[in-house]
Amino acid sequence: MKRFTAFSFLAACSLLWAQTSVWAQSGDPTQYTHDTFVQWFSQSKDAEPEFKAGDVLTHADLPKVKPFMFPGYFEQYEKWNDGSLQMEVVETYHVKAHQTVLECDEKYQKQVSLAADGALENYVCGYPFANDDIMSEADDSVAGLKVAWNYDKRFYWRGYFVANALTTWLRFGGTHTAPEPTKPPDAWIGDEVDLDTDWEYDTEKIYGGGGTYERSLGTFYHKAYHSQLPMFPDNNYNLPENDDAGTVHWKEFTGFFEPYDVRGTAFIIARYIDPRRTDDGWAYVPSLRRVRRISAEVKSDSLMGTEHTLEDFYGFSGRPLEWDWRFWGKKKFLTVHAKTKWDDDGVRYGGPDGWLNMDVWQIRELFVVERIPKDPRHPYKSAIMAIDPETWETWNHVAFDRKGKLWKLWQWGYQWSDDSKRYKYMNANRGAIHWRNVDTVDIQNGRGNLWREYGGGLPDFSMDFINGLYDLNRLTELHR
Amino acid sequence: MKRAGRGKLAGLWLIMTAIGLSMALAVPSADAAGRGDKGLLDSFDRMAIHGYVDNFSILRSDTFKTDYHVASSRYRASIQLAGPLYAMQNYFDRFEYFIELRPQYESIYDIDDKFGNGRKGENKRFVSGRSGYPNAGNQGFLRAFGLNPGHFGAFWPKEPAAGPDGAVEFMHALVPGSKYGVAGRDIDSRSRGYYGLDASQNDLRFGMTRETNMDLYYPVREAYFDFFWKGLGGRNWLRIGKQQHVWGKADFFRLQDIVNPVDFGDHFFIDLFDDTRVPLWSALFEHRFGNIGPLRDVAGSVVYVFDRHTPTGLGHPAQPWATGFGRTIDGFVFGNDLFATALFPGTADDPTMATEGRPYLPFKNMALYKNRAPHWNLKNGGIGMRWEATVGNLRIQLTDYFAFPDLPVTGWDRLNILNTLDCTTDGNGNSIMPADRNEGPITAEQLAEAGDPKKFHKVGGTVANGGAQIVGVKPKHIQIREAGIFKEGGRAYGVKAKNRHARYANLCGFGGSLAARYRKTNTLGLSLDWFEPYTGFVVRWESSWTTNALLNDTAKIDMMGDGNAFKWVLGIDRPTLIRWLNPTRSFFLSAQAYGTHYPDSRAGRRGIVSENNNFIFTVFAQNHFMRDQLVYLVFGAFGTAAQDGTTGGNVEYLITNNWSVTLGFTAFLGGRHRHDLGAFGVFTGDPSNPYTEAGFGLFHMQAGGSERNQMNEFWSRIRYRF
């Protein structure tokens, strides 16, 4: 009797636990919490896919996909139940870093270490830590910090150029008219890139599915690395003919040129090699016709009213020392990453809310890492990122509000630059990934943003262009 | 002058355009990397066309209980064309253009009879904003000269004064037009007294006013070419055309930002300077050196303004937003014609109009009669330079600008002095005129004769003061000395001891020929900003030093003095997340302290019209909601010396990418401040206590509060952008 009672009790508990797990991931992402993710990860960490390359998964196959997608993100595909969901699975596409990166790794990885406060020491170039080193690290927080530093130092050739990172505000439900990308002013793009030849986009096909598009911003973006560049061993891995190399890690130029109310607004941000040094920032405000010094330190501030904060860019573009990191482990995900079937190298959107991927999918093993802000006033309680350790870019990441509830989801899109079909002259032989889209939704409020690349790549801009673009005096040139 | 000026400037614009186009068409295009075989016509494929159409309306009231009214309903369009010109590619890396056309239509003149020429009949007593309707005495006075009292307002109608009316007023016009039309006056001072007073109804209706610098080439607001090329070891930029130059780092204040004037007649200082700053024909050349040693992003630029002198707009009195200064200037110009005719009847202003029974009387003026604005020539243009560099954490800007200021100083060309013994003698029978002591005093008998025309001139006429004549004298020929206090005929001819040094002018002065004057001055400016990482503050500093400026100083006999002026602003900005108010978007918080110091001048209720030291504090906060679809801001400004202030704010809602609506409010808080009015003191009704807000009293205003609650407003803007 006692055994029966005990057994019944245990069975009931098991059922209850299983049901709770189901409840926890019951299809309503607005109720998901951090624990939902902990449970999901625990249950599916070692899951193996029941599908293979060549399969085309439909809505009916989604239960097979569940272990390989973040909670909350998975439910978005569950909503895609009109019969048009087609997830074409391909072979995992393995990539290899550029030879110069591998040389840096071989030469310098063994000398890199972490200071007491977590800062990198003796870092020169390449990835600070080998993947095996991370996997074998016993302390999750140290492993997480190593992931953070690898991420911070990920290889992006010499920097990134996007003629138009068209930003679209969306709301769940409804229908939309596809936005049209336009080219930015000549003053920003210079004459070292030819955008005309490949500038042909079928936006009706790109912006499929549902969703209400409220607004769009034309955004020009450029990032230039100044230091720790593997391709310049003869110049101490610094950008040649650049006075800031050796001090500045990178500079970013972001300029908005559409619509009229933001046209001409531009920012220059400088990040330094010294991880403890704060960023410097300047903004040109067209209504003032002045360059203002700005504080780039409120990184949890929304950028231009989007769902991104300043540090959400690239998955994480803040400073690692301002966060605590925890490595969860390595796990298989079903991703759209590093490969596309579309001839414009970019994402296509679909689904009932117009933001989900329509492309080829592949199983990839990703590092899952959690970052917790040290600032108790930060809007996030934590964020979890799924990072590809081959490309060192993010596939998905999620953020939780202060109450621990799921708040936002991101899907990131990258293309292996060497496979680019467009703008080959600025993408070939880079051995690097190049960004093509990021899409984020605020789960709690049913809204989000699409950022899609038009005319981008990893060009070898001349020092003349770099020095010109990042000259603060340049910012006042464009009036509207 | 105006037609000649228009002709010259029109010619200059045509020549520049012709040169630019000729060069563009004549020089063959060459292939440039990234541009391919593009020719000039390809440029138009890259033309960006942006702009907006909007309606801006003001609801104004003193109390918002019974007297609120629509004070403006202005329709405006801005069409901006910009883009590259694929020409001269052998010489320039980039060749670009920008044109803004900004026509407008102020409909208040057509939808309401409170403004402009719609004020028909004498029953139009309503006056919007400051001022009131002329009192009964002045109504009769105006009618006597064939003028319609409904066309005039009167400021400070409650000025305490002795006399039977119990009030003394300064009247100004409320309708546009080229003349005041004072009967018996041969000339009309409206076109010569100050810029733009003779604007027509259509000038105001369509914004073609002198102060906007759009009376010529309307509706071109800005138009310039940009040339970029490498050379001289760096990068070069030449911008030539009608443009704005923005220097400095202060918000709301113009210390280094003095190349272009602003037009306060649009919406005072509530609108952004980008909208109210007046573009001028000028050239900018900038050379970017790059990095030099520890200096980063070094650039030096030269600016040359070859446009005609353009003042800061104070508002035509018929405009909805005529400020107190604008109405004051009109009041003094109008008064010049009105009182000159009243006090010197039967005389001609113009020698060609003289007859035997109507002799010519020179210097027949009582107030502001002339605007001694700099003539337009290349020498009178403004020239300046700016240097910028980053040093460590500091971004520094050094400027120097040598030009005529955009606000005048008013001073006497000649003073009218009552030719009575107590005014022209020192109580002992010795004349206190002229000032040349070597010659000794001139006796009253000598004064009665023609005298030395170089030193004084007998104006003639009679006044209520015992039938005394008025003598027009150059100020430098007047000695100010203490006059005795004595009585004659039951009237005191003296002033209280504390007013002793202004006694002569106040007691005996009776207006004169007042002119607006300008002196070319040099202003050196320094500003810098830095980011303080521990507090997260961006700190801004801006300062300027103007040497040998012409200042209004009522302690001087001609009301003009010299002095240096030091101004400074210290500002701090900080984006701050206030999560319980807005969890996702930081507040932009900003505060500034502004100070002015005149080291060489005496101030108070007499002397320079600003305090020796005065301070203004401003605060500003802006935030966004609804994913930046809703933007709101509030601001406040407070002046410590004047104890006045302005507060306001607005909320903008972006309905779509194109449509937006903004609602705002502005409130002015402050009291009256009085200042010595010199030879106009007799008009205050108590020459022994000749302080009034009229005229220089207004200059005590610091943060706009002198506009007081008579200009409080709600405003709206509906805009379509493209």
Side-chain angles (χ1 to χ4, degrees):
Chain A
M1 186 63 184
K2 279 185 182 176
R3 280 184 192 169
F4 178 75
T5 305
F7 176 77
S8 301
F9 178 73
L10 284 171
C13 287
S14 300
L15 284 169
L16 184 62
W17 176 82
Q19 184 62 51
T20 304
S21 299
V22 171
W23 287 337
Q25 199 174 350
S26 62
D28 184 5
T30 63
Q31 302 305 313
Y32 290 176
T33 64
H34 182 268
D35 285 344
T36 308
F37 283 72
V38 171
Q39 286 177 22
W40 169 84
F41 187 84
S42 169
Q43 290 165 9
S44 59
K45 181 173 180 237
D46 298 316
E48 291 292 332
E50 295 174 20
F51 48 86
K52 58 186 185 308
D55 290 347
V56 177
L57 306 176
T58 64
H59 189 270
D61 299 312
L62 283 178
K64 300 178 193 173
V65 173
K66 201 168 181 179
F68 307 102
M69 269 191 187
F70 270 148
Y73 185 61
F74 170 77
E75 281 73 12
Q76 306 306 311
Y77 284 89
E78 276 199 319
K79 284 163 63 175
W80 195 344
N81 57 7
D82 64 355
S84 63
L85 174 61
Q86 304 252 301
M87 301 170 86
E88 184 185 334
V89 182
V90 300
E91 294 286 348
T92 301
Y93 185 62
H94 292 286
V95 297
K96 199 171 168 186
H98 195 270
Q99 181 60 34
T100 56
V101 175
L102 298 174
E103 288 168 4
C104 270
D105 291 350
E106 189 177 335
K107 204 168 173 185
Y108 299 111
Q109 258 179 0
K110 42 185 166 309
Q111 71 184 42
V112 178
S113 59
L114 293 172
D117 67 347
L120 275 186
E121 291 185 329
N122 306 316
Y123 173 77
V124 176
C125 61
Y127 288 99
F129 304 101
N131 291 353
D132 291 342
D133 181 0
I134 293 169
M135 290 296 296
S136 63
E137 177 60 59
D139 187 332
D140 287 343
S141 61
V142 174
L145 191 54
K146 288 181 177 179
V147 168
W149 282 119
N150 270 23
Y151 197 77
D152 187 69
K153 305 298 182 187
R154 65 196 182 281
F155 181 64
Y156 228 125
W157 192 241
R158 288 171 48 184
Y160 191 61
F161 167 89
V162 184
N164 190 349
L166 188 66
T167 315
T168 303
W169 274 249
L170 77 91
R171 277 201 185 273
F172 287 2
T175 58
H176 60 258
T177 305
E180 285 296 325
T182 54
K183 293 176 200 162
D186 283 358
W188 291 345
I189 60 176
D191 56 9
E192 295 181 8
V193 292
D194 169 25
L195 293 178
D196 294 339
T197 310
D198 285 330
W199 192 275
E200 197 180 320
Y201 298 97
D202 187 343
T203 53
E204 290 297 324
K205 288 183 179 167
I206 289 172
Y207 296 97
T212 306
Y213 293 175
E214 294 177 329
R215 194 168 182 241
S216 289
L217 246 60
T219 312
F220 168 79
Y221 176 81
H222 186 271
K223 186 170 191 173
Y225 284 91
H226 288 51
S227 311
Q228 299 167 351
L229 290 160
M231 68 286 288
F232 296 116
D234 296 337
N235 200 49
N236 207 25
Y237 302 101
N238 292 327
L239 197 63
E241 301 169 38
N242 184 278
D243 296 331
D244 292 326
T247 309
V248 171
H249 185 200
W250 50 257
K251 288 185 181 178
E252 267 179 348
F253 182 104
T254 309
F256 299 92
F257 55 93
E258 271 186 343
Y260 173 82
D261 60 304
V262 297
R263 181 174 173 84
T265 307
F267 301 87
I268 291 179
I269 307 292
R271 171 73 57 85
Y272 298 95
I273 291 176
D274 180 353
R276 302 171 188 87
R277 184 173 171 179
T278 53
D279 294 350
D280 276 326
W282 291 267
Y284 176 70
V285 183
S287 59
L288 298 178
R289 298 205 187 202
R290 275 205 189 116
V291 177
R292 283 190 89 105
R293 190 70 171 268
I294 58 172
S295 168
E297 286 304 296
V298 188
K299 297 193 183 300
S300 54
D301 200 2
S302 158
L303 177 66
M304 303 292 282
T306 66
E307 309 307 326
H308 291 278
T309 64
L310 298 179
E311 63 200 346
D312 285 330
F313 267 86
Y314 294 111
F316 177 71
S317 59
R319 290 207 295 279
L321 295 183
E322 292 175 355
W323 294 72
D324 290 321
W325 298 84
R326 192 163 76 83
F327 184 60
W328 282 24
K330 194 175 185 182
K331 187 202 173 314
K332 288 182 178 167
F333 281 78
L334 185 64
T335 72
V336 174
H337 194 74
K339 194 165 188 62
T340 178
K341 67 180 180 181
W342 306 116
D343 64 356
D344 62 3
D345 296 333
V347 68
R348 290 197 180 179
Y349 297 108
D353 300 314
W355 73 283
L356 298 176
N357 266 308
M358 292 199 301
D359 208 330
V360 292
W361 296 78
Q362 49 182 300
I363 287 287
R364 300 183 74 86
E365 286 200 282
L366 309 182
F367 282 170
V368 179
V369 66
E370 182 178 9
R371 50 184 169 95
I372 303 108
K374 289 181 178 174
D375 181 0
R377 296 167 302 172
H378 197 284
Y380 297 165
K381 186 165 186 181
S382 73
I384 301 173
M385 301 165 65
I387 298 171
D388 189 303
E390 283 185 20
T391 63
W392 279 98
E393 287 294 354
T394 309
W395 153 234
N396 273 159
H397 86 267
V398 300
F400 303 93
D401 64 18
R402 296 305 303 185
K403 294 176 187 168
K405 285 182 86 172
L406 179 63
W407 185 5
K408 302 180 193 174
L409 302 167
W410 284 258
Q411 82 182 359
W412 292 87
Y414 290 91
Q415 163 75 348
W416 190 246
S417 61
D418 294 6
D419 298 333
S420 297
K421 307 175 197 73
R422 301 231 179 150
Y423 303 105
K424 290 182 182 178
Y425 67 90
M426 58 172 164
N427 284 302
N429 303 317
R430 300 299 193 247
I433 204 86
H434 102 248
W435 174 84
R436 55 181 200 163
N437 67 283
V438 58
D439 317 296
T440 181
V441 295
D442 175 342
I443 286 292
Q444 294 179 12
N445 293 291
R447 63 192 193 197
N449 292 99
L450 313 176
W451 299 70
R452 193 198 190 272
E453 174 210 83
Y454 292 92
L458 311 173
D460 280 338
F461 278 116
S462 66
M463 280 319 305
D464 185 63
F465 174 83
I466 299 290
N467 290 334
L469 182 67
Y470 291 96
D471 187 326
L472 295 179
N473 303 293
R474 176 79 169 273
L475 287 170
T476 58
E477 281 178 18
L478 180 72
H479 172 57
R480 299 293 189 187
Chain B
M1 166 63 182
K2 193 172 179 179
R3 286 193 185 278
R6 286 187 187 216
K8 281 184 186 174
L9 288 170
L12 180 62
W13 165 239
L14 285 171
I15 289 169
M16 282 168 46
T17 307
I19 291 172
L21 285 176
S22 300
M23 290 170 73
L25 293 169
V27 175
S29 299
D31 277 352
R35 292 204 292 272
D37 290 321
K38 289 182 182 166
L40 189 61
L41 292 178
D42 296 314
S43 309
F44 297 104
D45 289 340
R46 295 285 283 139
M47 178 191 289
I49 303 175
H50 291 279
Y52 60 82
V53 179
D54 70 15
N55 171 269
F56 170 74
S57 295
I58 294 175
L59 185 70
R60 175 186 289 158
S61 173
D62 186 359
T63 63
F64 277 100
K65 285 180 184 172
T66 56
D67 57 343
Y68 46 84
H69 58 280
V70 176
S72 173
S73 185
R74 185 197 68 205
Y75 296 85
R76 178 182 276 174
S78 172
I79 301 151
Q80 299 172 14
L81 313 175
L85 287 171
Y86 297 127
M88 297 189 285
Q89 292 167 81
N90 284 336
Y91 303 101
F92 301 111
D93 297 332
R94 279 161 43 212
F95 176 23
E96 297 171 350
Y97 63 94
F98 176 87
I99 299 172
E100 180 184 9
L101 307 173
R102 202 176 79 170
Q104 71 180 46
Y105 166 55
E106 173 57 80
S107 68
I108 200 67
Y109 301 112
D110 298 307
I111 64 174
D112 197 295
D113 58 7
K114 299 182 188 66
F115 298 89
N117 288 329
R119 298 180 64 86
K120 295 182 174 58
E122 290 199 13
N123 290 328
K124 294 299 173 208
R125 291 170 174 261
F126 189 94
V127 179
S128 177
R130 68 179 315 112
S131 309
Y133 190 60
N135 64 26
N138 279 326
Q139 289 175 42
F141 190 54
L142 291 169
R143 287 192 205 97
F145 285 92
L147 300 170
N148 178 355
H151 286 185
F152 294 89
F155 39 68
W156 307 285
K158 294 185 177 59
E159 193 70 34
D165 286 341
V168 175
E169 307 173 331
F170 293 81
M171 290 176 289
H172 60 86
L174 288 175
V175 298
S178 60
K179 294 171 187 273
Y180 295 112
V182 175
R185 181 76 158 163
D186 298 323
I187 57 175
D188 197 294
S189 300
R190 196 163 208 187
S191 61
R192 59 181 74 185
Y194 196 67
Y195 300 94
L197 284 181
D198 59 346
S200 69
Q201 181 74 84
N202 274 343
D203 289 342
L204 303 183
R205 186 183 270 128
F206 299 117
M208 294 190 290
T209 59
R210 177 67 181 82
E211 291 88 333
T212 63
N213 204 19
M214 284 173 67
D215 53 331
L216 306 178
Y217 325 114
Y218 183 87
V220 176
R221 184 160 190 268
E222 287 188 80
Y224 52 77
F225 291 114
D226 281 322
F227 304 85
F228 300 92
W229 73 100
K230 294 186 204 60
L232 305 173
R235 297 166 195 278
N236 304 287
W237 173 26
L238 173 67
R239 173 173 284 179
I240 185 160
K242 199 176 184 210
Q243 57 186 293
Q244 298 185 34
H245 305 273
V246 184
W247 291 352
K249 298 181 189 292
D251 297 326
F252 306 119
F253 300 107
R254 299 169 60 232
L255 283 71
Q256 292 176 295
D257 184 16
I258 56 173
V259 178
N260 297 79
V262 293
D263 181 20
F264 286 142
D266 216 353
H267 191 201
F268 205 14
F269 58 79
I270 311 306
D271 280 358
L272 294 169
F273 282 156
D274 188 47
D275 287 330
T276 59
R277 196 181 288 110
V278 179
L280 299 174
W281 290 103
S282 52
L284 160 75
F285 172 72
E286 179 175 286
H287 180 75
R288 295 174 197 153
F289 298 86
N291 300 333
I292 303 174
L295 305 176
R296 293 280 181 270
D297 295 332
V298 181
S301 60
V302 175
V303 167
Y304 174 52
V305 176
F306 48 85
D307 205 337
R308 59 194 172 157
H309 181 260
T310 301
T312 283
L314 302 173
H316 188 284
Q319 281 184 302
W321 246 109
T323 66
F325 297 113
R327 294 187 172 187
T328 296
I329 284 178
D330 185 87
F332 277 82
V333 178
F334 170 62
N336 185 49
D337 287 348
L338 188 71
F339 290 99
T341 307
L343 293 168
F344 308 112
T347 58
D349 305 295
D350 185 333
T352 63
M353 302 292 292
T355 63
E356 194 173 324
R358 193 166 175 261
Y360 166 56
L361 187 64
F363 306 113
K364 182 182 158 184
N365 291 297
M366 288 301 297
L368 186 60
Y369 85 116
K370 194 174 222 175
N371 182 27
R372 296 189 181 278
H375 296 294
W376 182 74
N377 56 53
L378 295 180
K379 198 174 67 137
N380 279 345
I383 187 158
M385 64 174 181
R386 177 173 74 166
W387 291 91
E388 279 200 280
T390 304
V391 183
N393 196 21
L394 299 175
R395 181 78 180 153
I396 299 172
Q397 191 181 120
L398 185 67
T399 60
D400 190 86
Y401 191 57
F402 182 57
F404 286 99
D406 48 39
L407 282 171
V409 163
T410 50
W412 297 114
D413 282 357
R414 281 182 176 269
L415 269 170
N416 296 338
I417 305 298
L418 293 174
N419 190 18
T420 58
L421 282 177
D422 50 284
C423 290
T424 58
T425 64
D426 59 3
N428 295 321
N430 297 315
S431 173
I432 58 176
M433 294 171 56
D436 185 350
R437 300 185 192 204
N438 290 334
E439 291 187 7
I442 293 179
T443 65
E445 288 74 21
Q446 288 172 324
L447 186 65
E449 295 168 0
D452 182 352
K454 291 182 187 173
K455 292 182 180 173
F456 63 90
H457 193 92
K458 192 166 106 173
V459 177
T462 60
V463 290
N465 262 355
Q469 292 176 325
I470 298 176
V471 181
V473 188
K474 287 187 179 177
K476 64 181 180 181
H477 293 141
I478 299 172
Q479 286 187 25
I480 295 180
R481 65 169 76 171
E482 296 178 15
I485 299 176
F486 55 93
K487 295 183 181 179
E488 185 175 304
R491 190 178 174 91
Y493 292 94
V495 295
K496 294 172 186 161
K498 64 180 180 180
N499 297 331
R500 198 171 302 143
H501 58 277
R503 180 181 317 167
Y504 186 88
N506 290 334
L507 190 62
C508 300
F510 207 81
S513 301
L514 191 69
R517 291 175 174 274
Y518 308 81
R519 175 191 289 171
K520 216 170 183 184
T521 52
N522 192 75
T523 300
L524 186 66
L526 172 69
S527 59
L528 47 87
D529 63 44
W530 76 93
F531 172 62
E532 204 296 297
Y534 293 104
T535 57
F537 284 122
V538 169
V539 184
R540 295 176 282 117
W541 167 265
E542 183 171 333
S543 57
S544 68
W545 177 265
T546 303
T547 46
N548 198 31
L550 198 58
L551 303 172
N552 261 120
D553 184 349
T554 57
K556 301 284 195 285
I557 190 60
D558 61 355
M559 292 202 299
M560 292 189 291
D562 311 286
N564 301 317
F566 174 64
K567 299 178 183 178
W568 58 268
V569 170
L570 178 64
I572 53 172
D573 309 322
R574 191 179 191 279
T576 305
L577 266 176
I578 306 175
R579 282 182 49 216
W580 63 275
L581 285 176
N582 191 339
T584 59
R585 205 73 166 88
S586 64
F587 283 78
F588 179 76
L589 303 176
S590 179
Q592 294 180 130
Y594 164 80
T596 314
H597 176 61
Y598 295 95
D600 315 302
S601 305
R602 183 162 55 91
R605 284 203 300 173
R606 183 174 302 107
I608 61 167
V609 295
S610 306
E611 302 290 330
N612 275 104
N613 293 288
N614 60 73
F615 304 97
I616 301 176
F617 297 96
T618 69
V619 291
F620 176 89
Q622 184 178 46
N623 194 232
H624 303 73
F625 275 109
M626 298 169 62
R627 306 164 86 192
D628 284 21
Q629 262 186 287
L630 191 73
V631 185
Y632 66 91
L633 66 91
V634 291
F635 72 90
F638 178 74
T640 55
Q643 293 285 299
D644 67 355
T646 302
T647 185
N650 65 72
V651 176
E652 182 182 16
Y653 178 59
L654 307 178
I655 305 167
T656 65
N657 246 15
N658 302 104
W659 286 98
S660 70
V661 61
T662 308
L663 300 175
F665 77 96
T666 319
F668 301 92
L669 312 154
R672 298 181 175 185
H673 298 277
R674 299 176 186 181
H675 198 89
D676 174 26
L677 204 56
F680 290 115
V682 292
F683 289 98
T684 64
D686 181 6
S688 65
N689 196 23
Y691 303 107
T692 177
E693 190 179 13
F696 300 119
L698 195 56
F699 282 83
H700 285 253
M701 173 184 79
Q702 285 190 281
S706 179
E707 300 305 317
R708 299 196 297 279
N709 54 6
Q710 292 166 319
M711 304 289 265
N712 291 349
E713 60 180 18
F714 289 103
W715 57 268
S716 69
R717 178 181 288 123
I718 301 173
R719 178 173 280 186
Y720 177 83
R721 295 169 297 199
F722 54 90

